[in-house]
C-alpha cells in the first residue's frame, strides 16, 4: 500500500480501505501449531488485528515531511496486535495436555512424619512468547499460507529446588513435630501436640513454586478444639423465653477466645527449636452476636398466633417422639426483621444420630417406614402458626395425599434435604417461635408485636374428586396398609385485615392425588 506524500490521517484512511478489501482473508482462521497439535484460531476470538494507527506511525518514522506528510522511500511491515491472555486461553483449551505441568515442591506429613515432595520442571505455554510468535507469523506467509504458525512450549522450573525442600525437612519440618509446644495465656496453659502441629503447618508452594512456611490459623484452631475449650468461653446470645405467659429476655454474656492468628505466628518462630518450645498467646473478648439491648428492641411482647394439631399413639410411639424432637429444636428460635427462617437450615439433618426414629413416611406414593416420620405434622403446625401471624410464605409443599388431621391446602410436608419449609419475617419486629406438646397434640405459638386485626381463611368447594384404587402389596414388616383417600383440588384464601379493612387476600391452591387403598396380601385370583 503506497502511503507516500500523505498526511497521517489520509494514510490511515487509505490503509484501512486496503485492509477492508482483504477482510475475508484477514478474518480467516489461523493454523497454530502447539507441540504436535494444530489449532485453528479465529482472529476475532483473540483480538488478532492489523493496528492501523501504529502501522502509519511506523511508516511516518521520526522525520515526517515539513507539512506533516509521509516522505522518503522505505518499506514498513504492518504492526500486528493480539490479546495475549485470550490467545493463551484459546490455545490451552484446544491443546489440553500438549504441555507437562510442573511438579510443585512441598513437605507433607503422614501423621507426624514429614515427607519431601521434590519439584520437577514442566513445559507449557508462555502467553508473551505465544503472542510474539503469532504476531510475527500471521502475515509472513505462515499464518495466511499453508504453513501453521509455530508457538513454542516453554520449560518452567519451580523457584524452590530439591535441595531447598530437603533443607526445609531437616531444619523445620522434622524439628517442628519432635516435641509439643507449651502455650501460656491469661486464663491458663495448654499444649500443642506434634499431631496438631503437623495438621496446621503448611509447607506447600505458590504458583511460582516458592514455599513460604506458615501455620494456618483455621487448621490450628480445628486441631486444638479440645485444648482451647479449657481456656475459652463461648459468648451466649440474648434469647427470649416465655414464662408465666409472658416473654422475657434472657441476657447475653460475652466470651473469651484465644487469638489463634497471633498464636500461629508465635508458634512458627519456635518450631525449629529443640529447646525453649513455649509461647504466649493473647486472648480476646468476644461480643455476642445479639446483645441483651438488641433483643429487647425487637418488640417481642405478645402472642400473635397459635396453632395446634393432634396425634394418636401417645408419647411412647416413634412418630410422636419425632414430633417432640423437632419441636425441641425449634423452640426458642428468634427470627429478626427481614430474615428468612428455613426449617431444614435450622435443624440440619434429621437422622438416627440426631435422635430421630423410624415411623411411617410417604415415599414413591405409599407409606413406608422411614427415619423422621411425623416431622411433617410439626411442619404443618409451624406453617399454620406463621400463616395466621401474617408472615410471608417463602416456600412450602402440601402433602401428596390429604390427611384429615390437617387443614386442606394450608399444610406442609418436609423431607431433608430436598423438601423444606421457609417463611420470611416481613414485619418490623422480631418473631419468637414457642413450641409445646402434650401426649396428644403439638402446638406452635408465634410471639411478636401484633400488626393485623385478624388473619382468616376461606376455602372453595372441592372439585375434580377422584376415587382411590385398590393395590395389593407383598406382605411383610415394611408393608403398611391404608384405607384409601379421595383425591381433589381445592383453593384457600388467606384474608388479612387491619384497621377494620381487608388489607390483602392471598390465594393458595393444591391438587391432592387419590391415595390408593393398600392391602398387604396377594391379589385374589
Amino acid at each position: 500500500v503506497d502511503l507516500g506524500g500523505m498526511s497521517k490521517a489520509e494514510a490511515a484512511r487509505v490503509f484501512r480501505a486496503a485492509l477492508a478489501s482483504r477482510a475475508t482473508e484477514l478474518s480467516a482462521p489461523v493454523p497454530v501449531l502447539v507441540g504436535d497439535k494444530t489449532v485453528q484460531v479465529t482472529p476475532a476470538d483473540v483480538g488478532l488485528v492489523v493496528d492501523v494507527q501504529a502501522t502509519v506511525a511506523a511508516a511516518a518514522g521520526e522525520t515526517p515531511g515539513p507539512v506533516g506528510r509521509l516522505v522518503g522511500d522505505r518499506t514498513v511491515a504492518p504492526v500486528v496486535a493480539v490479546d495475549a491472555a485470550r490467545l493463551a486461553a484459546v490455545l490451552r483449551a484446544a491443546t489440553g495436555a500438549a504441555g507437562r505441568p510442573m511438579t510443585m515442591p512441598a513437605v507433607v506429613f503422614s501423621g507426624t512424619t514429614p515427607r519431601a515432595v521434590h519439584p520437577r520442571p514442566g513445559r507449557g505455554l508462555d502467553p508473551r512468547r505465544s503472542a510474539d510468535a503469532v504476531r510475527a507469523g500471521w502475515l509472513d506467509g505462515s499464518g495466511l499460507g499453508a504453513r501453521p504458525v509455530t508457538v513454542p512450549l516453554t520449560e518452567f522450573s519451580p523457584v524452590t529446588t530439591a535441595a531447598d525442600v530437603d533443607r526445609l525437612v531437616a531444619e523445620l519440618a522434622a524439628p517442628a513435630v519432635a516435641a509439643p509446644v507449651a502455650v501460656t495465656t491469661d486464663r491458663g496453659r495448654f499444649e500443642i501436640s506434634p499431631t496438631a502441629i503437623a495438621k496446621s503447618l503448611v509447607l506447600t508452594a505458590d504458583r511460582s513454586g516458592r514455599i513460604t512456611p506458615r501455620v494456618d490459623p483455621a487448621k490450628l484452631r480445628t486441631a486444638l478444639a479440645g485444648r482451647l475449650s479449657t481456656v475459652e468461653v463461648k459468648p451466649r446470645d440474648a434469647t427470649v423465653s416465655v414464662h408465666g405467659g409472658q416473654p422475657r429476655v434472657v441476657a447475653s454474656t460475652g466470651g473469651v477466645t484465644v487469638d489463634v492468628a497471633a498464636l500461629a505466628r508465635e508458634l512458627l518462630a519456635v518450631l525449629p527449636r529443640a529447646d525453649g518450645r513455649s509461647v504466649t498467646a493473647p486472648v480476646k473478648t468476644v461480643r455476642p452476636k445479639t446483645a441483651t439491648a438488641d433483643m429487647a428492641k425487637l418488640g417481642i411482647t405478645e402472642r400473635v398466633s397459635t396453632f395446634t394439631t393432634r396425634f394418636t399413639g401417645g408419647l411412647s410411639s416413634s412418630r410422636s417422639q419425632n414430633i417432640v424432637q423437632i419441636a425441641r429444636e425449634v423452640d426458642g428460635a428468634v427470627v429478626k426483621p427481614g430474615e428468612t427462617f428455613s426449617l431444614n437450615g435450622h435443624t440440619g439433618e434429621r437422622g438416627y444420630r440426631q435422635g430421630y426414629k423410624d415411623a411411617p413416611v410417604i415415599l414413591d406414593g405409599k407409606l413406608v417406614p422411614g427415619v423422621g416420620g411425623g416431622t411433617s405434622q410439626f411442619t404443618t403446625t409451624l406453617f399454620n402458626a406463621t400463616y395466621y401471624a401474617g408472615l410471608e410464605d417463602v416456600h412450602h409443599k402440601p402433602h401428596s395425599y390429604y390427611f384429615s388431621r390437617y387443614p386442606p391446602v394450608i399444610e406442609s410436608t418436609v423431607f431433608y434435604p430436598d423438601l423444606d419449609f421457609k417463611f420470611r419475617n416481613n414485619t418490623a419486629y422480631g418473631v419468637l417461635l414457642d413450641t409445646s406438646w402434650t401426649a396428644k397434640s403439638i402446638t406452635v405459638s408465634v410471639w411478636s408485636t401484633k400488626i393485623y386485626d385478624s388473619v382468616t381463611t376461606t376455602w372453595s368447594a372441592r372439585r375434580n374428586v377422584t376415587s382411590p384404587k385398590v393395590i395389593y402389596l407383598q406382605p411383610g414388616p415394611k408393608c403398611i396398609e391404608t384405607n384409601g383417600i379421595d383425591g381433589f383440588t381445592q383453593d384457600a384464601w388467606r384474608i388479612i385485615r387491619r384497621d377494620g379493612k381487608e388489607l390483602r387476600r392471598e390465594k393458595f391452591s393444591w391438587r391432592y392425588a387419590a391415595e390408593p387403598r393398600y392391602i398387604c396380601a396377594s391379589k385374589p385370583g
Side-chain angles (χ1 to χ4, degrees), residues 83-101:
D83 188 315
R86 286 162 61 188
L87 175 64
V90 168
L91 295 179
R92 286 194 188 102
T95 58
R100 182 184 67 246

Side-chain angles (χ1 to χ4, degrees), residues 136-152:
W138 181 34
L139 303 180
D140 71 350
S142 296
L144 296 179
R147 304 191 315 275
V149 176
T150 300
V151 167

